[in-house]
Amino acid sequence: MGGTIHTVETTDILQQIRSDAAAAAAQLVEAAALHKGQIVVIGCSSSEVVGHQVGSWSTPEVGQAIYDGLQSVFAPAGIYLAAQCCEHLNRALIVEREAVPFAEIVNVVPQPKAGGSFATACYKNFSHPVAVEEIRADAGLDIGGTLIGMHLKKVAVPVRLQQRTIGQAILLAARVRPKFIGGERAFYDDKLKDGYPEY
């Protein structure tokens, strides 16, 4: 693995990161009309959150703070997190086993310098963590330019959140909607235009 794992000890900084993450999660739940059983893919560069280039300043405390902030919103709503690992693990995902009961799991345990600090925090905190190579998530948060699009269902739709950053990292968000198919003779279900409703 190699490299240095960095630390952040300032309580105020970590609290602000938790707060930023919780705000982003709450705004995404509302904007994407997320509901119980859906999956949100999270790409996260803890390096970018503390103002460094992606992959250069892996910070476990930051990964944990973001996990805590997101889960303060998603867990009570029954929404699953899927943590996208870094490129060293080919952007595999860490997710709760019950969220992907039929998925083919792969064998890897993320570390801060091989998977990322956020994926490592998820692996340590999930009840039954597994790694999978791909997923089709219902929405996503990209913290620091980690490129999560490969793990979203079609069709991805950008979402503009009021929360534009987490720490110093740029925050981008997306939701999905079913494809419109057919043509000029087709009729569409209005309930599906804005996403996947809960039935």
Side-chain angles (χ1 to χ4, degrees), residues 41 84 91 135-137 142 146-154 156 174 176:
V41 62
Q84 179 180 271
R91 306 209 187 283
I135 207 166
R136 291 291 173 256
D142 183 334
T146 58
L147 303 177
I148 60 169
M150 65 191 287
H151 294 305
L152 289 168
K153 289 177 181 174
K154 298 177 181 178
V176 298

Side-chain angles (χ1 to χ4, degrees), residues 43-60:
C44 176
S45 168
S46 64
S47 302
E48 291 276 343
V49 172
V50 294
H52 294 276
Q53 184 176 350
V54 63
S56 68
W57 200 269
S58 192
T59 311

Side-chain angles (χ1 to χ4, degrees), residues 73-124:
V73 174
F74 292 140
I79 296 166
Y80 294 106
L81 287 182
Q84 179 180 271
C85 295
C86 71
E87 62 181 306
H88 299 289
L89 298 187
N90 297 327
R91 306 209 187 283
L93 302 119
I94 305 302
V95 65
E96 288 279 13
R97 183 65 173 128
E98 67 182 26
V100 289
F102 306 109
E104 180 179 355
I105 64 171
V106 294
N107 189 353
V108 71
V109 176
Q111 303 297 314
K113 297 295 282 185
S117 290
F118 177 71
T120 301
C122 289
Y123 195 90
K124 289 179 178 177

